[in-house]
């Protein structure tokens, strides 16, 4: 058996880092039926999850908040490269 066998039992998916005191505020908008191609997502074990979505060369981040119901918000459509940078800032706790 592999030495890494124990990791597959505990690894869920990506978790975002704690929010940094100096962070960018994302302009979240109401959800719109824009795209369902998800390139990456954070772990569903958390109350707030994020998805990196894309279509037609553009992308956005979808945020889902689960607490007494579900609230879904999305960032603006951006060029894929810009959304990759936003995604990384969210994962690092530098944006929310």
């Amino acid at each position: 058996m592999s030495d890494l066998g124990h990791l597959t039992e505990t690894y869920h998916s990506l978790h975002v880092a704690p929010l940094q005191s100096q962070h960018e505020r994302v302009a979240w908008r109401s959800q719109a039926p824009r795209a369902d191609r998800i390139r990456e997502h954070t772990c569903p074990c958390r109350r707030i999850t994020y998805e990196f979505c894309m279509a037609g060369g553009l992308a956005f981040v979808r945020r889902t908040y689960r607490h007494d119901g579900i609230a879904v918000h999305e960032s603006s459509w951006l060029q894929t490269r810009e959304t990759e940078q936003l995604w990384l800032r969210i994962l690092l706790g530098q944006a929310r």
Side-chain angles (χ1 to χ4, degrees), residues 16 28 38 40-43 48-52 61-64 87 90-91 95-96:
V16 295
W28 297 105
I38 300 170
E40 292 184 67
H41 62 86
T42 61
C43 189
I48 300 175
T49 58
Y50 298 89
E51 297 169 325
F52 184 109
V61 176
R62 180 181 295 137
R63 176 185 70 179
T64 303
W87 178 251
I90 289 170
L91 292 178
R96 297 282 161 69

Side-chain angles (χ1 to χ4, degrees), residues 52 77-87 89:
F52 184 109
W77 277 103
L78 300 168
Q79 292 183 357
T80 302
R81 184 73 177 145
E82 292 175 276
T83 304
E84 288 171 342
Q85 294 167 357
L86 173 60
W87 178 251
R89 290 191 307 273

Side-chain angles (χ1 to χ4, degrees), residues 15-74:
H15 286 151
V16 295
L19 187 61
Q20 296 182 11
S21 60
Q22 298 286 325
H23 66 277
E24 170 190 351
R25 292 187 55 86
V26 177
W28 297 105
R29 303 164 187 255
S30 296
Q31 176 185 19
R34 303 194 276 183
D36 60 1
R37 183 171 171 222
I38 300 170
R39 188 170 102 176
E40 292 184 67
H41 62 86
T42 61
C43 189
C45 74
R46 301 288 170 100
R47 182 173 289 174
I48 300 175
T49 58
Y50 298 89
E51 297 169 325
F52 184 109
C53 305
M54 55 190 308
L58 296 175
F60 64 96
V61 176
R62 180 181 295 137
R63 176 185 70 179
T64 303
Y65 178 68
R66 287 184 262 319
H67 180 71
D68 295 334
I70 297 176
V72 181
H73 296 95
E74 299 173 348

